[in-house]
Amino acid sequence: MARADQVFIMKTYKNLYSKVYNLVNLYFSFKKARKGKTKKSYVIEFQKDLWKNLLKLQEELKTQSYNPKPLKTFILRDPKTRKISKSAFRDRIIHHALIKIIEPIFDKTFIYDSCANRIGKGNLFALKRFDKFKRKVSRNGEINGWFNNNQIKGFCLKADIKHYFQEVNHEVLIKIIKKKIMDNKVLWLIEKILNNLPDRQITESNKRGFKKGLPLGNLTSQFFANLYLNELDYFAKHKLKAKYYIRYVDDFVILNSSKEELELWKQGINKFLKETLKLELHNQKSKIIQLSKGIDFVGFKNFYYYRLLRKRNIKNMIFKVKEYKNGKISHEKILESFNGWNAYAKWANCYKLRKDVVKRIYAP
């Protein structure tokens, strides 16, 4: 039975392209792409002649005459400054159509504790796993001795990758994809999407003689970013035998009772990243920290007995409240932002803070 399943899966990997441009797949991809954006003018315009537009996309994919439109890059300050590169709506439909077909193939190869952009996972899942792992490493909060400032046992390698999205190497990524995808037309489409970069990244790629970078803002970028670091996940879990490892995009932690072992693992990970994935750890953001001092992970400062919101997360919300007070965003928009933030903030010990934000919103 297992053999039959394996043969079936292999055949599917070779014959995927027609599933991507299947009209039903394109229609449901359109519905996903327009979610939360039904009032946008470009969605309304596309929807006016929906089936004609979808059939046009289908024909372009069938004949491999499809070319994505140039990305629109803009600055987003929330308040951290980020460059977002936005694809045209028709291209976003194709992104959804592609990911719908290839994501299930790769998702089953991801480790359990790869938490970003996956059904049933996410940052709250990552927090629960962190809580479980810290109890394991510290032996349920065992203290390091009465004369040692009552410190909880255990350490954490808190790391992230330097300029991750800008540094993803296309050649390496395609090699990873080819481990599972053997359909040349799907690979052609993936390369079309990957090569559609902001001008700045194209210039940088030309200087170096190879293409790199994933534009922030694309669904495909989120998926490929996760897939790329799946190689790191396997290295950490199977080569280093790191039992308590969690990754959320390029932000990852490893918990251990031994600081010395974490130091060795950090060196091994950096060597692996440089040699295999053409990446490197961020020196300033990759540190080994005592669990008792609190670990900054997925938006929270995680201590053993309590959890606080990250300062940047609080600043983001206060910044939006100020924008509302200055008339830059509507009452409807600030309530939408607050409700999302509040649902997230509930996972921290910050009842007074949440109450204070409500007061700020409704203060005259």
Side-chain angles (χ1 to χ4, degrees), residues 111-313:
I111 66 166
Y112 187 72
D113 291 308
S114 169
C115 304
N117 308 312
R118 297 179 67 197
I119 296 169
K121 301 293 172 80
N123 46 21
L124 298 181
F125 174 86
L127 281 178
K128 288 177 182 178
R129 295 297 284 172
F130 183 89
D131 284 347
K132 181 176 181 177
F133 290 170
K134 78 184 180 190
R135 288 194 295 271
K136 293 273 189 182
V137 168
S138 68
R139 297 179 185 174
N140 289 324
E142 189 177 319
I143 304 301
N144 254 338
W146 183 257
F147 297 102
N148 197 17
N149 201 28
N150 286 352
Q151 291 177 337
I152 298 290
K153 278 188 175 180
F155 298 88
C156 175
L157 168 57
K158 165 71 177 71
D160 77 3
I161 293 161
K162 188 177 180 182
H163 304 148
Y164 177 51
F165 276 82
Q166 296 99 304
E167 294 295 329
V168 170
N169 184 293
H170 289 193
E171 187 179 344
V172 175
L173 177 58
I174 290 295
K175 282 180 183 176
I176 292 169
I177 293 167
K178 282 181 177 179
K179 290 179 182 180
K180 288 289 181 183
I181 303 293
M182 293 170 275
D183 186 321
N184 288 330
K185 290 183 178 180
V186 170
L187 293 169
W188 167 83
L189 179 58
I190 289 170
E191 291 197 49
K192 277 282 181 185
I193 293 168
L194 286 176
N195 291 339
N196 190 29
L197 291 167
D199 291 340
R200 174 180 53 85
Q201 286 182 331
I202 291 171
T203 303
E204 187 66 24
S205 293
N206 290 338
K207 281 180 185 176
R208 297 200 177 200
F210 57 86
K211 288 176 181 172
K212 64 171 192 170
L214 298 171
L216 279 173
N218 279 354
L219 173 71
T220 47
S221 295
Q222 294 172 21
F223 173 73
F224 292 138
N226 216 13
L227 176 60
Y228 201 77
L229 286 183
N230 189 44
E231 303 294 304
L232 170 63
D233 298 343
Y234 272 73
F235 177 77
K237 295 293 286 185
H238 300 296
K239 295 289 184 183
L240 300 180
K241 307 293 183 186
K243 197 172 180 182
Y244 304 123
Y245 166 91
I246 314 166
R247 180 175 63 81
Y248 191 91
V249 194
D250 63 323
D251 189 10
F252 64 93
V253 293
I254 308 178
L255 284 69
N256 198 306
S257 57
S258 167
K259 185 178 182 181
E260 291 72 24
E261 189 160 33
L262 286 177
E263 288 282 6
L264 289 173
W265 286 355
K266 182 183 176 184
Q267 292 170 27
I269 285 170
N270 210 18
K271 186 171 185 284
F272 172 81
L273 288 172
K274 286 178 179 178
E275 292 178 357
T276 307
L277 298 179
K278 315 302 179 191
L279 301 169
E280 62 181 302
L281 289 177
H282 197 298
N283 282 333
Q284 294 178 333
K285 295 181 181 179
S286 300
K287 299 175 182 176
I288 295 168
I289 306 163
Q290 286 181 313
L291 287 176
S292 58
K293 292 185 177 178
I295 309 301
D296 199 352
F297 185 53
V298 290
F300 297 90
K301 187 85 168 180
N302 297 275
F303 295 87
Y304 189 83
Y305 293 107
Y306 61 96
R307 185 185 295 129
L308 300 177
L309 273 176
R310 188 185 281 172
K311 288 179 182 178
R312 191 174 77 205
N313 192 295

Side-chain angles (χ1 to χ4, degrees), residues 16 44 91 120 131 175 198 289 342:
L16 298 170
I44 294 167
D91 296 326
D131 284 347
K175 282 180 183 176
I289 306 163
N342 190 45

